[in-house]
Amino acid sequence: MGLTDKISNAAEKGLGSAKETAGKLLDKPGLEQEGSTDQAAASAKQAVEKVKDAGKDIKNGFTN
């Protein structure tokens, strides 16, 4: 996973957490759900990137 992707995913997850918290504090279920969804999307992106990295590691193991 590239550093840019890591930073982007972490930022998206952090913003999602902030939205979720704001939604809870302001009693706005829509904002809370949006924040939760943003966090889930960021986690999914991180998982995909980890799978890609693992694939590259396996490939490099066979070529070295």
Side-chain angles (χ1 to χ4, degrees):
M1 176 183 333
L3 182 60
T4 304
D5 292 330
K6 287 180 182 179
I7 292 170
S8 175
N9 292 336
E12 185 176 348
K13 198 167 188 177
L15 288 173
S17 179
K19 279 184 186 179
E20 184 177 14
T21 300
K24 286 178 184 177
L25 291 173
L26 299 172
D27 194 29
K28 297 200 177 255
L31 184 60
E32 184 178 347
Q33 181 60 42
E34 185 178 335
S36 181
T37 301
D38 289 350
Q39 289 179 76
S43 293
K45 288 177 188 177
Q46 286 176 331
V48 168
E49 291 298 325
K50 286 181 182 180
V51 169
K52 286 181 185 177
D53 286 346
K56 287 178 188 175
D57 291 344
I58 291 170
K59 179 183 172 191
N60 290 337
F62 284 118
T63 58
N64 289 333

